[in-house]
Amino acid sequence: MKQHLTAILLSIYTGVLAQSDYDMPQPRAEGGGGSSGGSSSAPAVIVSPGLGLPRPSFDRALFNRIKLTHGVMAAMAFAAFFPLGAIAIRTKPGRFALFAHLGLQILAFAFFAVAVAMGMWMSATLEPFGADFWNEPHAIIGLTVFGLLAVQAILGIIHHLMYRRKGKRQVWSYAHVWNGRILITLGIINGGLGMQLASVSRAGKIAYGVCAGLIWVVWMVIAVISDFKEKPKADEKPVAESEVK
């Protein structure tokens, strides 16, 4: 079931992001304030004639392939693997759920790490053309979430060890749960910001919003139901570690 859902989401996200087309920055003369062709959302290239400096190269086909892969991998991480891993630990208590949760989270982090590397490459590639994507909200949020995911992993390890020792949630558990919920939500929102930055079509944005939003709602419903389930009595030993996320 999860494999089919993942395949469907992958095909949707690939189709959606393939509609985007970043415009190559157009050159303008240094110090020139006018524009010959109206306004454009693409950043301009500053050209300094007579300096003999080589113009930076730009492989549009390669850039578009990297951009598409960046978007698909990040979308799969936050709108598929991370939420599915959180759902697994809630719906299938036991050792299998723990390994499913761990495996999906590692897979999601690996996808996002590659996406971050691609995003940094794209920013560095366009920087010589006068485009500053490092200060874009999409990049700032993405790098912040990436850093906090390392904290999330540490909290998860501490939670697991303390849960096995105490048999109930500790402060580390709640920190792990809520940090994860916030980071996944931010990641999904940041995907929308990335689509805005990449000029994805309105239909593509709607498709992403519907798919990612549906996954988020299902995850939250399951999380709330799990939170309100009857807790084990004080003299009962917990059946399994089912409260990681």
Side-chain angles (χ1 to χ4, degrees):
M1 176 65 180
K2 291 178 182 177
Q3 292 177 344
H4 293 305
L5 178 59
T6 301
I8 293 172
L9 291 173
L10 178 59
S11 63
I12 292 174
Y13 295 145
T14 303
V16 165
L17 291 166
Q19 300 177 48
S20 64
D21 185 20
Y22 181 82
D23 293 327
M24 173 64 180
Q26 299 299 318
R28 62 177 172 83
E30 186 176 26
S35 175
S36 59
S39 60
S40 173
S41 59
V45 182
I46 299 177
V47 181
S48 299
L51 294 181
L53 298 177
R55 292 187 61 184
S57 60
F58 185 89
D59 187 336
R60 177 186 288 273
L62 174 62
F63 185 89
N64 284 338
R65 287 196 299 270
I66 295 295
K67 179 187 64 177
L68 174 62
T69 307
H70 163 82
V72 170
M73 295 191 76
M76 290 302 297
F78 285 100
F81 297 136
F82 274 132
L84 288 176
I87 291 172
I89 201 70
R90 293 286 190 169
T91 57
K92 296 281 187 180
R95 185 175 297 273
F96 173 79
L98 179 60
F99 285 117
H101 172 77
L102 182 61
L104 284 168
Q105 305 304 64
I106 291 175
L107 180 63
F109 182 78
F111 266 55
F112 186 50
V114 174
V116 167
M118 291 179 174
M120 295 175 70
W121 177 87
M122 288 189 290
S123 296
T125 298
L126 292 179
E127 196 168 13
F129 295 96
D132 182 13
F133 286 111
W134 299 105
N135 292 318
E136 288 285 343
H138 175 69
I140 294 172
I141 294 174
L143 292 174
T144 301
V145 169
F146 183 68
L148 289 176
L149 282 173
V151 177
Q152 176 71 354
I154 295 173
L155 290 174
I157 294 172
I158 296 175
H159 157 71
H160 176 67
L161 295 176
M162 296 301 294
Y163 190 89
R164 291 186 63 181
R165 180 181 301 177
K166 302 290 185 179
K168 61 181 181 179
R169 285 185 175 185
Q170 305 290 315
V171 62
W172 311 102
S173 305
Y174 293 104
H176 179 66
V177 167
W178 285 102
N179 189 55
R181 290 174 180 175
I182 292 171
L183 292 182
I184 294 175
T185 303
L186 279 176
I188 292 175
I189 294 172
N190 202 37
L193 294 177
M195 289 187 169
Q196 182 71 26
L197 193 62
S199 301
V200 174
S201 68
R202 184 171 181 270
K205 294 173 186 174
I206 292 175
Y208 170 79
V210 170
C211 293
L214 181 61
I215 291 291
W216 187 88
V217 169
V218 171
W219 167 42
M220 282 293 102
V221 168
I222 293 175
V224 170
I225 292 175
S226 179
D227 284 340
F228 280 93
K229 276 183 178 179
E230 185 178 356
K231 297 181 180 180
K233 296 179 181 179
D235 57 345
E236 290 181 351
K237 185 178 180 180
V239 177
E241 181 182 358
S242 60
E243 300 176 337
V244 176
K245 192 171 290 292

